[in-house]
Amino acid sequence: MNRMRLRIAERLKESQNAAASLTTFNEIDMTEIMALRSANKDDILKRTGVKLGFMSAFAKASCLALKEIKAANASIEGDEIVYRDYVDLSVAVATPKGLVTPVVRNCESMEMLEIEKEIADLGKKARDGKLTLEDMAGGSFTISNGGVFGSLYGTPIINLPQSAVLGMHAIKEKPYVVNGKIEIRPIMVVALTYDHRLLDGREAVTFLVRVKEYIEQPAKMLLTL
């Protein structure tokens, strides 16, 4: 194994051994956020050069949910729990040499387009092999998008010393009950793996429900301070 793969293996095994990991799931109806993206992506690309995807929406939704569920943005240091009033968002990026997690700093203070651009820039640096240690240092919460490879379900591994990681998956059309009627809707399964030493089930489930609410009602997300 090359040095990066060895280091990745060490970190993943360390996480499995140290954290009391548990995963909770939910389904998100992507209809509204897909409509928002479809209506604006061409104009945004023309005006700013930014390709609008879904990562920025999930990043924004996560930042808002983390304001309520502060333990999901905390870490254990010795016998102490360290809480943060900022979100340094680690974004999992697949490269030819392995998985890396560059960090979007102070993500909670950024608008969606700013987040999208920063994620795109970090992703390019990662694939070009130009990430620095500073780019990957820290991080208080992670998002991993296995959906770009077609994954339907997955249980992401916590990036220690963080306490939680959000896993996005592929969008698939499914029969879905809407106001008592069955409709075909684009559905994404999302997963939150969390460290049970820090988060209880109520907090973890509430976090995922908040993300679901913000993605399904993007106007609510964009109008929330």
Side-chain angles (χ1 to χ4, degrees):
M1 290 192 285
N2 61 42
R3 290 179 63 186
M4 178 178 283
R5 177 55 59 188
L6 282 169
R7 182 59 180 148
I8 291 170
E10 290 172 1
R11 289 295 302 271
L12 293 178
K13 196 58 187 171
E14 178 187 355
S15 178
Q16 283 189 326
N17 292 339
S21 297
L22 195 62
T23 305
T24 185
F25 298 89
N26 213 321
E27 291 184 331
I28 297 180
D29 181 351
M30 298 289 286
T31 301
E32 292 299 322
I33 197 72
M34 288 176 71
L36 179 69
R37 176 179 179 267
S38 180
N40 294 280
K41 64 178 183 178
D42 292 339
D43 178 59
I44 288 171
L45 180 61
K46 184 177 179 180
R47 287 189 296 105
T48 68
V50 175
K51 292 183 179 179
L52 184 62
F54 296 118
M55 282 291 290
S56 57
F58 277 89
K60 187 68 175 178
S62 294
C63 288
L64 292 172
L66 289 169
K67 285 186 178 181
E68 178 180 352
I69 311 298
K70 298 183 184 300
N73 195 44
S75 62
I76 295 174
E77 294 186 12
D79 294 330
E80 304 290 329
I81 299 175
V82 177
Y83 294 95
R84 298 173 176 83
D85 59 2
Y86 61 88
V87 180
D88 281 352
L89 182 69
S90 300
V91 179
V93 178
T95 74
K97 292 184 178 180
L99 190 70
V100 294
T101 52
V103 179
V104 178
R105 309 285 174 189
N106 298 307
C107 191
E108 82 290 345
S109 65
M110 301 169 73
E111 299 299 330
M112 277 180 56
L113 290 185
E114 294 177 288
I115 297 171
E116 196 74 57
K117 185 178 186 305
E118 184 67 12
I119 290 173
D121 290 346
L122 289 169
K124 186 177 186 306
K125 285 182 71 175
R127 288 185 290 273
D128 292 344
K130 295 180 179 179
L131 284 176
T132 65
L133 289 176
E134 188 177 89
D135 289 327
M136 295 183 284
S140 59
F141 183 81
T142 295
I143 295 181
S144 177
N145 186 5
V148 296
F149 305 110
S151 173
L152 286 176
Y153 301 91
T155 54
I157 296 178
I158 296 168
N159 183 14
L160 288 180
Q162 298 173 22
S163 62
V165 51
L166 177 68
M168 297 167 58
H169 299 97
I171 301 168
K172 297 292 182 181
E173 290 191 339
K174 294 182 180 181
Y176 202 68
V177 178
V178 181
N179 297 322
K181 297 180 180 179
I182 296 176
E183 299 182 11
I184 302 300
R185 291 291 180 104
I187 304 299
M188 179 191 289
V189 175
V190 288
L192 183 77
T193 298
Y194 60 98
D195 190 341
H196 215 329
R197 297 177 301 168
L198 268 176
L199 282 88
D200 292 326
R202 177 185 62 84
E203 295 169 304
V205 170
T206 300
F207 174 89
L208 214 51
V209 168
R210 292 293 177 269
V211 171
K212 172 184 171 72
E213 290 172 350
Y214 286 127
I215 297 297
E216 291 187 343
Q217 303 172 64
K220 177 180 178 181
M221 174 171 64
L222 296 173
L223 294 173
T224 299
L225 295 175

